[in-house]
């Protein structure tokens, strides 16, 4: 693809504009005092200043990235294991455990992990990790099971090693399902990470919580606005990733130029 | 050319005996067709040759070497493999699919590209299709690509498990003809599983009839047609139409005699007796002139020649 085409395509994609909007909102937040003062005239300090919104957003993204990344490694690895000959018997058990993991309320996980991990980012990352494992695991298992038996049979019969077949054939074919699971996990975590601020993790939940505690609605709006924008932007970028991996259903080939 | 041999092979899946005391020699260069009703063990036998299934008892040898002792991955790279559902890799182009085994074997890119081009020519795959993805191809084109992929690394042995069963009759006949041509030209050993008797009779140099895990009869198709080992083989060969199938396998030249009684119609010496009978029925005559490929007169064939020879199977000539 010509570099110019990439620019043209992005210009038409909402993901680029939404990303610019997010960056603009985060950077310009300190200068919005007149706006929020007009909206909430009774508040003496209408803009959250305890930490910059740049720092809050980066901390929030770090929580999401570490937990989702860890969950991706674990979920994809476990998904691969239970679809191999050796781990096939464990598949129902693993599925059930992951489902149980997701039914725990996030606040309960946070409360339970504080005595173990203390206050701050670590228990938050543990809770988010637990939440992200199930969708990624399910996506991986579904994707690997959706690979047609004829394809794996042909690959084995032609002389692919088990590893070569997994990396070259099965995972690429499963990737739309894996990406879809990862997308669900990340979007859920962007929302849930805000709760981490209840146990002292720095996140976009910090202004929301302080706003709730001190009856400062402006803080709540500011935190919620950035969290919502962040979720929408990340979801748009996953849309690009999904269309890159779902060439099969769309009938679009990677090496075909139109 | 490596011969393939089964030595008293047994295999069970749970309570099902897929193969029982199965022994068979397939000489190098043979076109061996395994045929039998579904569940007779023919696919199991086929998949033992490339170590996809290992025997419980007995040994399978390829070129004298016990398959169970070979590195299965390395072994399979030197054996072509074609299955009914084709199994092309959906995320690879047709060209990448055809080059799959050469790539596994570490061939250089230009050598891979040359071979893809050669295989496309051999199987009649249009060059424009090579950059397409499998789902953009028709069933017949997909199986052409499947066969091309199996042949790409120039294996001595090719295994085919009902490769044409899902195709429409026209594509099937064309691919059968091309496979026959490739076999005749390359001298590769082909082991082919089917449940289609016409396909088996057409392609086989060695036909193996199987039933419930046992080998029932093995031999040249024409010998099996003439002397079915038992009533089961007879029934499987087509019951009442065995003799018509035999006429299909015999050439006019084997029954023609150099006499001249003034027959009006003419038929090629290489045509089958069935075609001669059909022409007689169509023209209402009982005598046909027989001509060679270049059109020179060779003799005549009368309806009595067809009937007399066919019923007792006395002719020793082979098709």
């Amino acid at each position: 693809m010509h570099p110019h085409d990439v620019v043209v395509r992005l210009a038409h994609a909402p993901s680029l504009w939404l990303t610019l909007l997010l960056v603009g909102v985060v950077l310009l937040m300190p200068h919005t005092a007149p706006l929020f003062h007009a909206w909430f005239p009774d508040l003496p300090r209408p803009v959250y200043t305890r930490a910059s919104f740049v720092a809050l957003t980066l901390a929030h993204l770090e929580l999401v990235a570490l937990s989702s990344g860890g969950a991706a490694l674990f979920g994809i690895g476990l998904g691969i294991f239970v679809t191999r000959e050796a781990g096939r018997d464990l598949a129902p058990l693993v599925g059930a455990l992951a489902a149980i993991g997701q039914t725990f309320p996030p606040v309960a996980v946070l409360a339970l992990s504080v005595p173990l991990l203390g206050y701050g980012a670590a228990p938050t990352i543990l809770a988010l990790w637990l939440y992200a494992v199930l969708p990624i695991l399910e996506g991986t298992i579904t994707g690997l099971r959706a690979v047609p038996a004829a394809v794996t049979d042909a690959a084995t019969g032609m002389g692919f090693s088990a590893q070569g077949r997994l990396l070259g054939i099965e995972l690429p074919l499963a990737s739309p399902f894996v990406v879809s699971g990862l997308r669900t996990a990340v979007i859920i975590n962007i929302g849930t990470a805000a709760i981490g601020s209840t146990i002292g993790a720095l996140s976009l939940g910090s202004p929301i919580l302080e706003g709730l505690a001190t009856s400062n609605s402006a803080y709540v709006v500011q935190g919620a606005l950035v969290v919502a924008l962040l979720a929408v932007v990340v979801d748009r970028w996953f849309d690009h990733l999904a269309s890159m991996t779902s060439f099969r259903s769309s009938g679009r080939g990677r090496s075909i130029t139109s | 050319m490596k011969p393939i041999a089964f030595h008293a092979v047994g295999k069970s899946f749970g309570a099902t005996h897929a193969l029982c005391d199965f022994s068979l020699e397939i000489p190098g260069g043979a076109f061996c067709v395994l045929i039998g009703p579904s569940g007779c063990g023919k696919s199991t036998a086929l998949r033992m040759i490339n170590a996809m299934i290992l025997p419980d008892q007995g040994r399978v040898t390829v070129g004298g070497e016990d398959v169970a002792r070979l590195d299965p991955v390395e072994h399979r790279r030197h054996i072509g493999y074609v299955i009914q559902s084709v199994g092309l890799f959906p995320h690879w182009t047709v060209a990448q699919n055809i080059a799959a085994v050469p790539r596994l074997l570490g061939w250089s890119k230009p050598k891979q590209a040359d071979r893809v081009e050669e295989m496309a020519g051999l199987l009649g795959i249009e060059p424009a299709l090579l950059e397409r993805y499998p789902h953009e191809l028709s069933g017949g084109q997909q199986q052409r690509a499947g066969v091309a992929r199996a042949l790409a690394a120039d294996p001595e042995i090719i295994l085919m498990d009902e490769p044409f069963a899902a195709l429409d009759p026209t594509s099937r006949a064309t691919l059968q003809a091309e496979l026959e041509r490739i076999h005749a030209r390359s001298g590769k050993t082909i082991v082919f599983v089917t449940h289609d008797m016409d396909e088996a009779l057409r392609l086989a140099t060695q036909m193996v009839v199987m039933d419930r895990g046992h080998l029932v009869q093995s031999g040249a198709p024409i010998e099996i047609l003439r002397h079915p080992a038992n009533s089961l083989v007879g029934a499987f060969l087509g019951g009442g139409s065995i003799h018509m199938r035999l006429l299909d396998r015999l050439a006019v030249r084997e029954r023609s005699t150099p006499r001249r009684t003034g027959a009006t119609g003419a038929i090629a010496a290489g045509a089958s007796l069935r075609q001669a009978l059909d022409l007689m029925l169509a023209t209402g005559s009982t005598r046909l002139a027989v001509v060679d490929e270049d059109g020179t007169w060779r003799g005549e064939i009368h309806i009595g020649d067809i009937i007399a020879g066919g019923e007792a199977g006395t002719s020793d000539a082979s098709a």
Side-chain angles (χ1 to χ4, degrees):
Chain A
M1 205 184 297
H2 195 272
H4 180 71
D5 297 337
V6 178
V7 174
V8 169
R9 260 180 59 184
L10 283 178
H12 289 100
S15 51
L16 188 71
W17 303 116
L18 285 164
T19 307
L20 290 174
L21 179 65
L22 172 70
V23 171
V25 166
V26 169
L27 290 177
L28 295 174
M29 197 64 92
H31 308 293
T32 55
L35 179 75
F36 281 100
H37 187 69
W39 191 358
F40 305 101
D42 302 336
L43 297 174
R45 283 189 302 275
V47 177
Y48 183 81
T49 51
R50 197 179 290 272
S52 77
F53 274 86
V54 174
L56 291 174
T57 307
L58 289 179
H60 197 96
L61 280 174
E62 193 184 343
L63 292 176
V64 173
L66 287 175
S67 59
S68 306
L73 285 179
F74 183 76
I76 294 172
L78 196 58
I80 290 169
F81 175 70
V82 298
T83 51
R84 301 303 101 184
E85 201 65 55
R88 195 149 290 169
D89 298 340
L90 290 173
L93 178 71
V94 165
L97 282 178
I100 291 169
Q102 222 186 22
T103 54
F104 278 130
V107 172
V109 178
L110 288 178
L112 287 172
S113 49
V114 164
L116 290 172
L117 297 167
Y119 289 89
T124 308
I125 290 170
L126 176 71
L128 296 180
W129 173 86
L130 196 61
Y131 269 79
V133 166
L134 180 71
I136 296 170
L137 178 68
E138 276 185 338
T140 307
I141 293 175
T142 308
L144 288 173
R145 285 190 180 152
V147 176
V151 169
T152 48
D153 183 57
T156 310
M158 286 161 65
F160 277 75
S161 64
Q163 191 195 350
R165 196 184 73 188
L166 177 68
L167 296 178
I169 309 293
E170 293 181 81
L171 279 179
L173 289 176
S175 60
F177 296 87
V178 180
V179 168
S180 161
L182 191 62
R183 181 181 187 167
T184 307
V186 169
I187 299 304
I188 290 176
N189 275 1
I190 288 176
T192 315
I195 299 174
S197 294
T198 56
I199 52 163
L202 192 66
S203 80
L204 288 164
S206 304
I208 298 177
L209 280 169
E210 181 160 342
L212 291 172
T214 61
S215 302
N216 188 326
S217 305
Y219 290 2
V220 177
V221 169
Q222 288 151 17
L225 175 69
V226 179
V227 171
L229 257 180
L230 192 60
V232 171
V233 165
V234 172
D235 189 63
R236 287 298 89 201
W237 284 107
F238 266 109
D239 211 43
H240 286 296
L241 191 59
S243 66
M244 276 165 67
T245 54
S246 69
F247 57 91
R248 259 197 307 168
S249 47
S250 65
R252 205 144 36 87
R254 267 180 284 197
S255 71
I256 294 177
T257 47
S258 49
Chain B
M1 284 298 130
K2 290 176 180 173
I4 301 164
F6 291 79
H7 304 278
V9 170
K11 180 72 190 178
S12 302
F13 297 108
T16 320
H17 298 290
L19 284 179
C20 306
D21 194 26
F22 181 82
S23 292
L24 174 69
E25 304 244 346
I26 303 170
F31 197 129
C32 176
V33 176
L34 306 178
I35 187 163
S38 61
C40 71
K42 52 193 192 295
S43 290
T44 304
L46 183 89
R47 290 160 68 88
M48 281 180 170
I49 298 169
N50 65 351
M52 298 281 279
I53 297 175
L54 293 176
D56 295 338
Q57 294 99 35
R59 291 184 308 137
V60 179
T61 60
V62 172
E65 287 187 274
D66 189 343
V67 170
R69 288 165 192 264
L70 298 171
D71 170 16
V73 169
E74 187 57 30
H75 176 58
R76 289 171 193 147
R77 289 179 183 176
H78 299 284
I79 295 180
Y81 188 55
V82 186
I83 52 179
Q84 182 186 337
S85 34
V86 193
L88 291 174
F89 304 139
H91 60 312
W92 287 6
T93 63
V94 172
Q96 288 171 324
N97 266 284
I98 295 175
V101 181
R103 202 166 93 168
L104 288 175
L105 292 170
W107 292 16
S108 69
K109 286 272 171 201
K111 200 177 164 197
Q112 288 181 29
D114 286 351
R115 183 51 61 94
V116 168
E117 205 174 303
E118 191 188 333
M119 287 299 115
L122 186 67
L123 270 302
I125 300 167
E126 293 163 43
L129 293 182
L130 289 173
E131 291 311 312
R132 301 266 180 89
Y133 285 81
H135 70 94
E136 301 173 273
L137 271 56
S138 71
Q141 289 167 336
Q142 288 187 14
Q143 196 53 289
R144 278 171 194 274
V147 175
R149 181 173 70 170
L151 292 169
D154 203 20
E156 284 187 24
I157 296 168
I158 300 155
L159 307 180
M160 310 182 96
D161 195 348
E162 306 206 21
F164 308 142
L167 301 182
D168 63 87
T170 316
S171 304
R172 188 187 310 149
T174 321
L175 272 164
Q176 284 169 349
E178 276 166 25
L179 189 61
E180 244 181 329
R181 181 171 55 86
I182 290 166
H183 177 253
R185 212 170 67 178
S186 67
K188 292 182 188 304
T189 310
I190 299 179
V191 186
F192 190 105
V193 161
T194 185
H195 57 253
D196 177 345
M197 184 52 72
D198 289 313
E199 185 168 69
L201 291 172
R202 170 170 185 177
L203 295 172
T205 61
Q206 179 187 19
M207 199 160 102
V208 178
V209 185
M210 295 175 65
D211 183 47
R212 282 173 290 180
H214 293 274
L215 184 151
V216 182
Q217 191 171 10
S218 163
I222 199 147
E223 291 312 314
I224 294 184
L225 277 171
R226 280 187 180 137
H227 312 290
N230 57 32
S231 59
L232 183 136
V233 178
F236 198 67
L237 284 170
S241 60
I242 287 187
H243 297 284
M244 289 303 285
R245 291 185 195 268
L246 198 51
L247 292 185
D248 236 353
R249 302 298 308 168
L250 293 168
V252 166
R253 72 165 66 84
E254 292 163 29
R255 298 281 173 79
S256 70
T257 45
R259 61 198 145 173
R260 205 188 277 268
T261 62
T264 47
I267 190 153
S272 72
L273 288 179
R274 187 179 178 135
Q275 287 170 315
L277 185 61
D278 197 70
L279 188 61
M280 287 177 186
L281 292 170
T283 58
S285 75
T286 55
R287 297 171 296 175
L288 294 172
V290 178
V291 291
D292 271 333
E293 278 71 19
D294 56 7
T296 55
W297 181 87
R298 193 183 166 96
E300 282 183 5
I301 185 157
H302 294 196
I303 192 155
D305 302 330
I306 298 176
I307 292 167
E311 140 261 326
T314 45
S315 167
D316 284 325
S318 60

